[in-house]
Amino acid sequence: MGKEKNLEMDIIKENHALCDKNEDDQVELKPKMTLLNGVTVIVGSIIGSGIFVSPSGVLKETGSVNMSLMVWIISGVFSMIGAYCYAELGCMIKKTGADYAYIMVTFGKFLAFIRLWVECIIVRPCSQAIVALTFSIYATKPFFPECDPPDEAVRLLAAICICILAFINCWEVKWATFVQDIFTYAKLLALFIIIATGVVQLGNGKVENFTWENTESDVTKIALSFYSGLFAYNGWNYLNFVIEELQDPVKNLPRAIAISCILVTVVYVLTNIAFYTTLSVPEVLGSEAVAVTFAERLYGRFAFMIPVFVAMSTFGGVNGILLTSSRLFYAGACEGQMPEILSMIQVKKMTPAPAVLIVALLSLVYLCSSDIFRLITYVGFATWVSIGLAVFCLPWLRWKHPEWNRPIKVHLIFPVLYIIATIFITIVPMIASPVETGIGIAIIATGVPVYLLFIARTQKSELEKKIIDSITDTLQKLLIVVPKETNL
């Protein structure tokens, strides 16, 4: 009996060991990201090129320094409310893909696909290309102090930036988060230098620019100013895209969101105050890169530091967009709304390598044109409509599924306020810019025939299936990837 019992215990131990081994070998996205990594992903994604170039855009539409500061503060509060609502949704629906996943669960495949289409095909690749170009311009600026860097050199360096970061994101998630951590610290250091300079300037009584003079009375223009302000804050929802890779998301997601949004809002407002201690309204409006103009006025021969720091900031911004965008493609493929290959994971590195590569390739395509800022303007309102729709999921699911587990439960006044504000900043600019809005709607509408032809039409011919399977198998062998939850 004793021998039999010992044998039984040995078998149980072996089974437990085998289960543990299988769990370690299971091909899926692993929760490797800590709270600090989560904070740096959000801060690194938010603080890109926006704070260094957007002040002039906000000031142009508001007319006065004090009103522009109000827009920066309100934009920060608006982002915090949205992030707070996303914390409930993220802890309730623990799926990679963020608002895409929330819209899918709440409203079904069609609206989720339209959101996915706009974000994946236009917004994210365009944004990444723009930030990469900004990195390239500032990185080459010290070598061309008297003129603009050559366009070909700028594009080539931007392409190299994207390719290097694509390799890092394919190779190891920890490497990607390490890059995010280092360059987030660099960009915060640059902003703290500017803020410290601003404090010194305030101490010297440089407050003459802080007035309400010439404040814009046209409500539509004030609404347009929020596009520039919110563009600088864009990225507060990016951690929700990688929630499956976040350790203890119920605890760490809301903490990371709260720390990041408060930190960024304070830094942005103080940075703008620093700019206006030295630069007048005409100087800010006449500058394409306010931070560089500020540095040239105050830092003398050390002014080159700011372009270097801005380049580091945007390099981290490209990494943050690539890290989170690839997870959006991955989530769409897992739901059957993107090619199957994008849902597969590299067997050794446990990274969504195909999704990372497709984001990088689309971004490289957009580098062929330098006139892509207009595209972002066209779909900017669509981004906020889709985020507003995701926030609307919160009260809708409270009504439809009150029994669902909600580790975090926000007061309903927050999603209501956010939805009202979203309607304001999307509908009012439509009146002021009907042509851009119309083109934006047309771009979104291109997703409808794609959905009807490839997603809604479930019956495919044998030839179509054969071609798709052949391409998938070839890419699978080339990239050494397998579907999620495949035991080796």
Side-chain angles (χ1 to χ4, degrees), residues 1 12 17 24 37 66 101 256 274 285 307 329 355 383:
M1 287 289 291
I12 290 171
D24 290 337
N37 293 148
N66 287 1
L285 292 177
F329 276 84
T383 301

Side-chain angles (χ1 to χ4, degrees), residues 45-94:
S45 298
I46 294 177
I47 304 177
S49 58
I51 183 57
F52 301 106
V53 295
S54 285
S56 55
V58 175
L59 184 61
K60 179 183 176 182
E61 303 297 343
T62 55
S64 70
V65 170
N66 287 1
M67 190 62 199
S68 70
L69 291 175
M70 290 300 298
V71 168
W72 280 99
I73 293 169
I74 294 170
S75 295
V77 173
F78 181 73
S79 299
M80 276 191 275
I81 292 173
Y84 185 42
C85 295
Y86 265 48
E88 173 174 330
L89 291 167
C91 291
M92 179 174 60
I93 305 171
K94 297 185 185 72

Side-chain angles (χ1 to χ4, degrees), residues 137 140-150 154:
I137 290 168
T140 54
K141 189 66 177 173
F143 301 101
F144 298 92
E146 303 298 328
C147 62
D148 293 331
V154 167

Side-chain angles (χ1 to χ4, degrees), residues 26-227:
Q26 194 171 36
V27 180
E28 60 182 1
L29 298 179
K30 305 290 185 181
K32 299 180 180 179
M33 296 175 65
T34 63
L35 172 62
L36 179 61
N37 293 148
V39 170
T40 56
V41 164
I42 298 175
V43 173
S45 298
I46 294 177
I47 304 177
S49 58
I51 183 57
F52 301 106
V53 295
S54 285
S56 55
V58 175
L59 184 61
K60 179 183 176 182
E61 303 297 343
T62 55
S64 70
V65 170
N66 287 1
M67 190 62 199
S68 70
L69 291 175
M70 290 300 298
V71 168
W72 280 99
I73 293 169
I74 294 170
S75 295
V77 173
F78 181 73
S79 299
M80 276 191 275
I81 292 173
Y84 185 42
C85 295
Y86 265 48
E88 173 174 330
L89 291 167
C91 291
M92 179 174 60
I93 305 171
K94 297 185 185 72
K95 288 185 176 182
T96 292
D99 37 33
Y100 165 71
Y102 313 148
I103 294 170
M104 171 70 80
V105 170
T106 309
F107 300 114
K109 292 184 176 181
F110 176 68
L111 285 179
F113 176 78
I114 296 300
R115 164 62 176 156
L116 183 71
W117 177 258
V118 172
E119 192 76 6
C120 286
I121 305 303
I122 303 166
V123 176
R124 292 301 186 92
C126 272
S127 299
Q128 183 158 289
I130 289 171
V131 178
L133 284 168
T134 307
F135 155 78
S136 187
I137 290 168
Y138 280 100
T140 54
K141 189 66 177 173
F143 301 101
F144 298 92
E146 303 298 328
C147 62
D148 293 331
D151 187 58
E152 293 79 6
V154 167
R155 291 186 193 182
L156 180 60
L157 185 57
I160 292 170
C161 165
I162 292 171
C163 291
I164 290 172
L165 289 173
F167 169 77
I168 289 172
N169 277 269
C170 285
W171 192 258
E172 177 60 69
V173 172
K174 286 184 178 179
W175 284 17
T177 54
F178 176 75
V179 168
Q180 199 66 27
D181 292 352
I182 296 301
F183 284 92
T184 296
Y185 301 146
K187 69 181 71 178
L188 287 175
L189 176 61
L191 291 171
F192 286 142
I193 291 172
I194 293 171
I195 290 168
T197 306
V199 170
V200 173
Q201 290 288 85
L202 287 173
N204 293 332
K206 301 288 185 177
V207 295
E208 61 271 13
N209 293 326
F210 296 96
T211 68
W212 295 93
E213 291 179 15
N214 302 316
T215 298
E216 183 61 59
S217 57
D218 188 343
V219 177
T220 59
K221 288 196 173 183
I222 297 294
L224 280 172
S225 71
F226 281 98
Y227 276 166

Side-chain angles (χ1 to χ4, degrees), residues 267-288:
V267 167
Y268 273 9
V269 173
L270 292 179
T271 302
N272 274 277
I273 290 172
F275 287 150
Y276 292 120
T277 60
T278 302
L279 304 176
S280 64
V281 171
E283 286 175 316
V284 172
L285 292 177
S287 174
E288 291 184 358

Side-chain angles (χ1 to χ4, degrees), residues 470-481:
S470 177
I471 294 171
T472 301
D473 289 344
T474 303
L475 291 174
Q476 198 172 345
K477 292 172 184 175
L478 181 66
L479 300 173
I480 318 176
V481 293

